[in-house]
Amino acid sequence: MLITLGTVGCGHRGSGVSMEIVVHDAAVTKQERSRVETYWTGAGIADVAHGDAIGDPVQPEWTEGGAIARTVGRLYAQGAGGGLGACTATVVGTNTVITAAHCVRTSDAGEPALSATWDQQLYFVPGYRDGQSPYGGFTVRRVRMAKEWQDEGLDVAVLEMNPGHDGRSISEVTGVQRIAFTAESGTRTHFFGYPYTSRLLHCEGGNSREYRGSALLRIPCVMGVGSSGGPYIVDLGAGGAGSVVAVNISGDETFSYGTALGSFARRLYAQSEHCSRDC
């Protein structure tokens, strides 16, 4: 049974919202890393693939390769009840991948953020396509996100990744997308995601804010469940490299909405990159 990692409702940020960072250990030991990898490379990825859509995708497939095809991938997780699901995530640092917070922590409707359960067996496959893992898969060492992650502007998580089997960091294998923390409205924006499809899909358009001061960016294209965590990228060059300015969190019939990366995301990123080197 698939859990629907990829949709969340967001409240408006209030003055009393906690900006505290929560750090959660995932697969830290060698034994934990081996267990997670064995699970997904065994039957896990194939089990999720049974729920992938067959037929015409909701948006066109990204066929231009380049850095996009290496740095964006599927993030797999197992919920507390044993259900499997997948979101989208992007390599943005030495050992850092960015996604939506609700892709790694699941709460029941109407329940407070702190009562949410941590998803298990997090596993990232960059460049996933048609059941293939061209750059291998990577386990997650630690997750960093907001304590009150359900509030508007805080549905974002950074994942500190373990190295691959050969000891190389994920960035040495895939390269990185740049990351920017000053998203501007009206900028041409590219959105990439895996909305329960076996291939990376793409759409683009001018971004905007739903209302003045909103911490969300929206673009006029929709992908659906599974595209959560997918990057909104600006200044995309011919080689497929650009700057991630938001991560997708939800959508309606007209727009997709993403958490704009700002000062809080900068703090998450700085901690993850520091620990990638020194912790």
Side-chain angles (χ1 to χ4, degrees), residues 119-156:
D119 294 325
Q120 305 297 311
Q121 307 209 93
L122 300 175
Y123 190 65
F124 178 62
V125 179
Y128 175 87
R129 188 175 189 274
D130 289 341
Q132 301 301 309
S133 307
Y135 306 103
F138 293 81
T139 58
V140 176
R141 182 176 180 83
R142 291 190 179 93
V143 178
R144 291 177 171 84
M145 59 190 290
K147 181 178 181 180
E148 299 291 345
W149 57 275
Q150 292 176 328
D151 287 307
E152 184 180 287
L154 298 181
D155 191 353
V156 57

Side-chain angles (χ1 to χ4, degrees), residues 168-251:
R168 290 191 297 168
S169 68
I170 190 169
S171 60
E172 290 178 296
V173 176
T174 66
V176 300
Q177 293 293 335
R178 299 185 298 274
I179 188 168
F181 304 100
T182 55
E184 296 183 2
S185 298
T187 306
R188 193 72 176 175
T189 303
H190 298 260
F191 170 27
F192 299 90
Y194 289 90
Y196 280 103
T197 58
S198 63
R199 300 182 180 190
L200 181 64
L201 305 187
H202 165 253
C203 58
E204 59 183 292
N207 72 43
S208 60
R209 303 276 181 167
E210 184 178 11
Y211 55 88
R212 187 177 181 85
S214 171
L216 303 182
L217 287 182
R218 67 180 185 180
I219 56 175
C221 61
V222 178
M223 287 197 193
V225 174
S227 65
S228 274
Y232 292 9
I233 294 179
V234 301
D235 301 326
L236 188 66
S243 295
V244 179
V245 295
V247 292
N248 188 56
I249 62 166
S250 63

